[in-house]
Amino acid sequence: MTTRRPTTLAELDAAVSECRACPRLVAWREEVAEVKRAAFAGQKYWGRPVPGFGPADAAMAIVGLAPSAHGGNRTGRMFTGDPSGDVLFRALFDVGLASQPTSTRIGDGLELRGTRMAAPVRCAPPENKPTPAERDTCRPWLARELELLRPTLRTIVVLGGFGWQALMPVLATAGWAVPSPRPKFGHGVELVLEGTSELRVFGCYHVSPRNVSTGVLTPLMLREVLTAAARSAGLN
Ligand code: SF4
């Protein structure tokens, strides 16, 4: 993180967008942005760290692991422009947390209601796998984001076991009491953490094309977790 701690989410978003702390990820994100996928050859890729998305007074957060090479790394917005995001935004719209069922690009009119999206790793990693060192280097960004959200934040939905593992130390850094040994991920798991405010963390299978196409995660299962978390956050 920069030497000056961001004091607002807008400051944090601007600062994270400029981060170059992980040489391998900087090289990868920029190479992908240069080479592009054929289907997006005419587009200018973002090619930078992807900041959080959603209101600064969110009561609920949705956390995956990292942006995808041709999704967030292309569009500059979390889960935007890839098949995982298509499933997620459809469900968010269905349960009343998104203003429209699709998320295609910054400026497409999408707004989230009381919900912010963020990730423990902000740059697209090769094969969707950040190294432990990269994950640790990126930790202060999400920790600060959660600290800034803390006055209003009541629930987090974590998509997938890798995101869950990465999030637990972030929550500890941000001031919540995470039990030891660390709680295990599972779909439907609900964890209550004490801190200056109580936080409920919900596990949900990742919205990956593989999970969705094999029925590991159905749209109904996703809506159920989102609905439970939103209710816990006072959003429905
Ligand atoms: Fe910076 Fe995080 Fe990207 Fe590493 S992964 S360069 S710490 S924003």
Side-chain angles (χ1 to χ4, degrees):
M1 195 183 289
T2 50
T3 44
R4 198 169 91 69
R5 264 162 84 79
T7 55
T8 65
L9 282 172
E11 272 184 23
L12 183 107
D13 290 348
V16 72
S17 302
E18 302 293 333
C19 183
R20 302 183 67 82
C22 306
R24 185 184 81 118
L25 297 188
V26 171
W28 171 254
R29 77 192 192 204
E30 293 180 354
E31 185 190 330
V32 169
E34 186 69 31
V35 175
K36 306 181 183 182
R37 177 175 282 169
F40 308 123
Q43 296 185 16
K44 182 169 171 29
Y45 275 49
W46 175 254
R48 290 158 56 185
V50 181
F53 172 57
D57 59 352
M60 173 165 149
I62 297 176
V63 171
L65 177 62
S68 67
H70 302 279
N73 189 55
R74 173 172 61 90
T75 61
R77 193 162 75 188
M78 290 287 172
F79 281 108
T80 294
D82 61 36
S84 298
D86 292 346
V87 172
L88 179 57
F89 286 106
R90 173 79 239 181
L92 285 167
F93 175 74
D94 287 344
V95 301
L97 295 174
S99 63
Q100 58 191 48
T102 58
S103 177
T104 53
R105 59 180 172 81
I106 291 173
D108 62 2
L110 174 66
E111 290 180 11
L112 297 182
R113 187 170 69 85
T115 304
R116 185 157 169 106
M117 289 186 173
V121 177
R122 302 305 176 116
C123 293
E127 298 178 5
N128 295 318
K129 284 188 191 145
T131 66
E134 290 161 349
R135 188 194 57 206
D136 292 350
T137 302
C138 208
R139 182 180 304 158
W141 289 121
L142 182 57
R144 185 66 184 142
E145 187 160 1
L146 296 179
E147 280 175 0
L148 291 169
L149 286 168
R150 196 162 50 198
T152 54
L153 188 68
R154 296 295 170 265
T155 65
I156 299 181
V157 175
V158 189
L159 300 171
F162 290 115
W164 179 276
Q165 282 169 22
L167 180 67
M168 290 300 140
V170 178
L171 292 173
T173 303
W176 281 281
V178 178
S180 181
R182 293 206 174 121
K184 285 204 173 114
F185 171 78
H187 183 85
V189 165
E190 182 180 342
L191 182 66
V192 183
L193 299 181
E194 301 299 333
T196 50
S197 58
E198 185 183 273
L199 182 70
R200 287 178 184 262
V201 184
F202 293 76
C204 181
Y205 289 142
H206 196 280
V207 286
S208 67
R210 177 191 256 187
N211 279 351
V212 172
S213 67
T214 55
V216 168
L217 179 69
T218 65
L220 176 61
M221 289 165 69
L222 177 57
R223 288 197 302 271
E224 284 175 346
V225 174
L226 293 174
T227 300
R231 187 174 303 127
S232 205
L235 291 171
N236 62 10

